Amino acid sequence: MLSGVLLEDQESSLYLILEELLCSEGLLCMLHDPRCLEVSLSLLSSALLLRLPSSQIASSAFTLGTAAVLPFYTFMVAAPEAKLTKKIIASSIPYIVLGLLYAYLLYLSWTPDTIRLMFASKYWLPELNGIAKMFSNEMTLASAWIHLLAVDLFAARQVYYDGLKNNIEMRHSVSLCLLFCPLGILVHFITRAFTASRKRREHGDTSHRFQ
């Protein structure tokens, strides 16, 4: 019973640290003060070192990673032109946090069989059966989710910057990048092509009227 209370206290500590990291004041502090970033990373390290069961670590990491990226998508979609949004999206903080979290989960999920499962064929190429077996482990699955979140957010940022640079509507594409990143990138390219075609037609009509 005592061990259950201790685990509950550790879990509560983890979520308190998560709340401190992800509140709007915390994000703004990390953007303006490098010392605040150092403290936040120290808090994150403390959270990662809590001795929780593997399933609890995987579940908490899943929640932490998902919650960490949501403010960035929210700013890009709700206020893409705002100075605060541009400053937040230019930050490397989410990639540092997600990178540390991914490295920690990768360390915990690594086994002597990991390489064998990743490159199961005789030609040292990945095979679906091996990957499926590897992802049956909760810790490995959580690390893959953090991997996807980091890559998807980076892709969404590129879509966001391209939209601003070329004056293209990109909020729908950024939203898709959160869960359907390849589709979000495809939709952005389609949107860019339609926008360029429309601009050419408008330019042609304008030139024709002045002739």
Side-chain angles (χ1 to χ4, degrees), residues 185-203:
I185 296 171
L186 173 63
V187 168
H188 178 66
F189 283 133
I190 293 173
T191 303
R192 189 167 69 173
F194 273 113
T195 302
S197 177
R198 186 188 65 193
K199 288 180 178 179
R200 284 194 298 268
R201 288 197 304 270
E202 291 175 353
H203 180 72

Side-chain angles (χ1 to χ4, degrees), residues 25-26 31 37 45 65 68 77 79 95 104 110 127-128 130 132 169 175 195:
E25 292 83 359
L31 287 171
L37 175 58
S45 299
V77 173
Y95 307 102
Y104 179 67
W110 196 270
E127 285 190 345
L128 185 59
E169 177 57 58
S175 299
T195 302

Side-chain angles (χ1 to χ4, degrees), residues 6 10 17 32 41 49 54 121 148 156 186 189 206:
L6 290 174
Q10 289 177 333
I17 292 170
H32 288 94
L41 292 178
L49 291 174
S54 295
S121 76
L148 287 174
L186 173 63
F189 283 133
T206 303

Side-chain angles (χ1 to χ4, degrees), residues 44-201:
L44 179 61
S45 299
S46 299
L48 295 179
L49 291 174
L50 289 175
R51 294 183 178 180
L52 298 173
S54 295
S55 60
Q56 185 60 58
I57 293 175
S59 176
S60 299
F62 183 93
T63 302
L64 170 63
T66 304
V69 302
L70 290 179
F72 297 91
Y73 283 96
T74 301
F75 276 105
M76 284 190 284
V77 173
E81 299 285 348
K83 290 183 179 179
L84 179 59
T85 299
K86 293 176 182 178
K87 187 167 187 176
I88 288 175
I89 300 307
S91 171
S92 60
I93 291 171
Y95 307 102
I96 294 173
V97 172
L98 291 173
L100 289 172
L101 191 56
Y102 174 74
Y104 179 67
L105 293 174
L106 187 65
Y107 166 75
L108 291 180
S109 65
W110 196 270
T111 69
D113 291 332
T114 298
I115 294 294
R116 181 180 61 81
L117 291 173
M118 288 178 64
F119 305 101
S121 76
K122 62 180 180 180
Y123 301 108
W124 282 85
L125 295 173
E127 285 190 345
L128 185 59
N129 290 339
I131 298 298
K133 186 175 181 180
M134 187 172 65
F135 282 166
S136 64
N137 180 291
E138 281 188 343
M139 197 69 73
T140 303
L141 192 59
S143 70
W145 178 250
I146 298 302
H147 178 279
L148 287 174
L149 288 176
V151 174
D152 290 356
L153 181 59
F154 187 80
R157 184 171 74 163
Q158 298 305 111
V159 168
Y160 168 77
Y161 281 142
D162 188 64
L164 290 181
K165 179 181 178 181
N166 297 295
N167 194 26
I168 299 169
E169 177 57 58
M170 73 320 205
R171 287 175 291 184
H172 58 302
S173 303
V174 167
S175 299
L176 285 171
C177 284
L178 175 58
L179 293 176
F180 311 102
C181 189
L183 183 59
I185 296 171
L186 173 63
V187 168
H188 178 66
F189 283 133
I190 293 173
T191 303
R192 189 167 69 173
F194 273 113
T195 302
S197 177
R198 186 188 65 193
K199 288 180 178 179
R200 284 194 298 268
R201 288 197 304 270

